[in-house]
Amino acid sequence: MILYQAIIFLPLIGAAFAGVLSLRQQHVPAEIISVVCICLSFLLSCFAFYDIAITHNQLTITIARWIDSANFVANWSLRFDTLTAVMLIVVTSVSSCVHIYSIGYMHNDNARARFMAYLSLFTFAMLMLVTADNLLQLFFGWEGVGVASYLLIGFWYHKPSAHKAAMKAFVVNRVGDFGFALGIFVIFYLFGSIQFDDIFSDAFMYKGTKILFLGVEMPALEVAAILLFIGAMGKSAQLGLHTWLPDAMEGPTPVSALIHAATMVTAGVFLVCRMSPLIEYAPIALDIITVVGALTAIFAATIGMTQFDIKRVIAYSTCSQLGYMFFAAGVSAYPAAMFHLTTHAFFKALLFLGAGSVIHALSDEQDLRLMGGLWKKIPLTYSLMWIGSLALAGFPFFSGYYSKDMILEAAWASQSYIGQMAFWLGCVAALLTAFYSWRLLIMAFHGKPRCSTEVFEHVHESPPIMILPLIPLAIGAIFAGWFGYQLFVGYDMVYFWGDALFILPEHRAMEDAHHVPDWVKRLPVWLAASGVGVAVIAYAVLPAIPAMMISFLRPLHKLFYNKWFFDELYDILFVRSFVNFGKILWVRGDQGTIDAFGPDGMSELVLRGSDKLSKLQSGYVYHYAFAMIIGVVTLLSWYFSGFMG
Amino acid sequence: MLSSWPILSIVTFLPLLGVLFILLASGKNKSSEHNCKMLAIWVSSFTFVVSLLLYLGFDNSIVGYQFEEQFEWISGSGISYHLGVDGISMPFILLSTFLTPLSILASWYSIKQRIREFMIAFLVLETMMVGMFASLDMMMFYLFFEGVLIPMFLIIGIWGGPRRVYAAFKFFLFTLAGSVLMLVCIMFMYLKAGTTDIPILSKFNLLPEYQFWLFIGFFASFAVKVPMWPVHTWLPDAHVEAPTAGSMILAGVLLKMGGYGFIRFSLPMFPDASVYFAPFIFTLSVIAIIYTSFVALAQTDMKKLIAYSSVAHMGFVTIGIFTLNQQGITGAMFQMISHGLISAALFFCVGIVYDRLHTREIDAYGGVADIMPNYAVFFMIMMLASVGLPGTSGFVGEILVLVGAYKSSSSLAFFAATGLVLGATYMLWLYRRVVFGRAEKSEIMRMPVLNNREIGILLPLTIFVIWFGIFPAPLLDVLNPVVALLSETVSNAQIATASLE
């Protein structure tokens, strides 16, 4: 029991120590303590995974009271089931690698103890999120990872772009959290509880229940599920609330790997899977999740094709892959979503850390146009990036192959129009994924070096402390799919997940996915291969093609390159207009109306009669006291007059 | 044993005793000024320690008043010297006694003139605040309630900024209108019930048509104090002109007088009217949250921004109170205590940099994190607490209010919850402009780091903000029983009203 609690609280202890040490500028002890804590946490997680997911010793540990007011009760407690166990492994393993990697990556930074503190704090919040046994504690972790992300994106707070991106991330996430919070209220209103156990066991009873939401009568569970999904959209950067994720690349690269690829951004997928017993009874919400996921998958991929910042390409790729996970969940293939979440964590963290290694080698250059020809100089990084890309594109026997194909097959097997649409969009996105991955590889590693000779001379392989943590991630990227297939989505699926995931018997996508026609199984691989082919032809064989395509499809390219103009639109709609609106309210409302008719108007009348300000100043207090005394006197005299009369 | 001591009277009048000592320590030289400060800080700290006895001796299982003291004032008149606390007033008394020494410490060096008078004003203020929360007699309450404002006027009017006259005058105009109406109402109730005893009046069933007018009378006074939209415009000016310590107490305690008044008087004494007026108050509160959040976004003055944010946060409080259910009222109470701590800390954070740079213009700052890293940490925690981050006290209050609000109406919760987004926007933007960035101006480079006195003020506030965020049970246990009874009383009225219709 205490070991289970240690999984969650060791990172907090690490964060506290590192935080205190950072104020004293003691970096090395901070690094050692935080790394040891997180690695211990990982080892314990492995044990917990075996105990919970394999031998099925599920348990809930209550630690302390938190908020209680009548029937609104939320305790601090840790829930360990298979879903939690999977997330524990994902979070602590990637976090351990990133912690170790950061020692090397940040070794020139004079605030690296603070960096380690934030990383550990993030890990703690993420673990609180995945072990929550009620919605409010989940919300605690949810906002906690948001703050950690805010702190880490803005870690280099000197850079205006960094603190701007940090604030953007927090505020956009808050928009999602607004939906999440309302979802919690709806659920509490409906169920009279925010405990998962109560919600899950009672969900079926509210199948037909309607509630009045914003004056409109709506199916209760649909409303709750959609509101929670809005929260998930914010955290997982889905279409509409995605704008913060690319900007979040302002943070140091290890942050991008841990938070904005492997763990935090998948919290939305986790939430949807966690709430599957409720969402299963909300068919409209499921359709919405499918549509949003599928659209995000293709939308982000189109942008990813055109970007030149190496980290942004991978960020849009993350956005797109999260879309896959969501539409898997949307067709009730939660195991497939969780499977892809797990494999994606490994290969995307690998890709990010590899990109970090490239950036490190190039003296902090991130622009693909200024790279090229690096593969001989940094062969280890190069081969690791290949492994990551192969896994991402879903080449046979790499982890992405198992999980992404599973999702596409499930989408096809769901037999609904929306599922079919998701399947086809997913297939196109798979093509684009392979294309932009190899575009990145070729632009970064092949061709002639386009950086200055000075920088190129300096290119060097990263130190072992940055390469070693990539090895386990690479192993994960290669073998996680093969290893996890039977457990997550294969024959052992039902036993493995137990009651951590719930699928209605009539939602058959998951079972039918194993019996799809052969072409459905082969299509994604062929598409990926052709995507690679196109990229190789366009960027290695005939380098004139991209420029030609761009001029040929100028409007389309402009749309993709400018990220579909979401930022510009939001800037006009919200950012500028909100500040202007505030100014108008302040000047016209407060000063122009309330004050003009209220105190200012009156004081003008008074001031006209009085020349001496100072007299007034000392006078009004006495006036006031006088008025009060008169009041008391009046009351007393009233009493006495009544007494006499 | 404890109860044999008149602890409430001691807590109330100890600061006045301190005033007596300060008056005795006459003289104008430096050492006597120092003596005044030392006396003030010792007396107020001692008062806090004594007030802790209220917490330690408080029995959560008793729903009624505790530590009661009652003496006839005018025999047979129904007006008496009656003190006592329940779960609603006790936390406020502790908040007042806790913030007073911190505020005195905050003004240690920043007040340079008339130090003796300043300390006297502060100690008188403390007596008035504690007395108000401890009063169980309407007449006493009224005296303290209005009496609080006199030292506050002086603090703004004498030790304030350049536009202090305007600010204090505005304050005066707004409050006076409300106070007169409330006094008339008190007189009327006295006439009807023959007593001004609060516990008796709380159980006195007034006719609904009387309740209607009385509610309006009290509302006029409390709404200004909260302050509710649209009578909030005195607050930003008062804050901007007030010295740091004045702002701390103003935001920390004085803004809670309105909310306390609603819970202590309006709800139990005019339950039918409370039910009737709830939608009206919801409307004003939602406007307050959204409107003032937008206005805060447009501010260029740090103090004004935080002042406007206070109005928005108080909007949550008034919503919570008039949801009339347990989560709502508990949330409102919690929010008031939490906001007392957070806003005091935030105003002090502004005061810290103001003492160094002598400007409150946001644009004058930037890159403070480099120069004052500890300050950046404290400010960050308080900023996040202010936006209601889970794990800080700000969250507990807000979430309970919103849960309560949803029970009343989903639209109410929807519009109120927009405050979550808007609040984050203006606070993060403020923080970004002040603390982040690169310090380039030489004035900023020269700013000294936090000294021990400043850390000594921020640290206890931070500890309580996080403690109440992670383990709010000590406060919730005090609140829950009494709020449960209160919401039951009011909901009975609600049912009665519904059955009449």
Side-chain angles (χ1 to χ4, degrees), chain B residues 128-187:
Chain B
M128 295 295 176
M129 291 188 302
V130 175
M132 182 199 56
F133 289 124
S135 296
L136 287 184
D137 184 277
M138 283 244 202
M139 275 319 294
M140 281 181 67
F141 173 82
Y142 183 74
L143 286 174
F144 283 122
F145 187 79
E146 303 301 331
V148 163
L149 302 168
I150 296 175
M152 195 35 106
F153 282 147
L154 296 172
I155 287 167
I156 298 173
I158 298 175
W159 293 277
R163 290 179 78 227
R164 56 182 185 264
V165 177
Y166 172 77
F169 190 62
K170 210 168 175 179
F171 188 17
F172 165 68
L173 267 174
F174 270 107
T175 359
L176 184 73
S179 300
V180 171
L181 282 174
M182 184 167 87
L183 185 64
V184 173
C185 289
I186 292 177
M187 291 196 286

Side-chain angles (χ1 to χ4, degrees), chain A residues 157-158 590 595 600 620 624 635, chain B residues 146 166 168 170 233 308 370:
Chain A
Y157 56 80
H158 294 132
D590 265 24
D595 281 358
D600 288 359
Y620 64 84
Y624 188 75
L635 180 67
Chain B
E146 303 301 331
Y166 172 77
K170 210 168 175 179
T233 58
Y308 275 111
D370 264 350

Side-chain angles (χ1 to χ4, degrees), chain B residues 254-299:
Chain B
L254 263 58
L255 294 195
K256 279 73 202 175
M257 289 160 55
Y260 174 73
F262 281 132
I263 296 178
R264 177 62 82 224
F265 298 97
S266 304
L267 257 47
M269 294 181 193
F270 326 124
D272 302 295
S274 298
V275 174
Y276 180 81
F277 279 107
F280 168 68
I281 290 180
F282 291 155
T283 313
L284 292 187
S285 310
V286 164
I287 294 175
I289 291 171
I290 297 173
Y291 178 104
T292 50
S293 295
F294 274 110
V295 175
L297 211 52
Q299 296 308 308

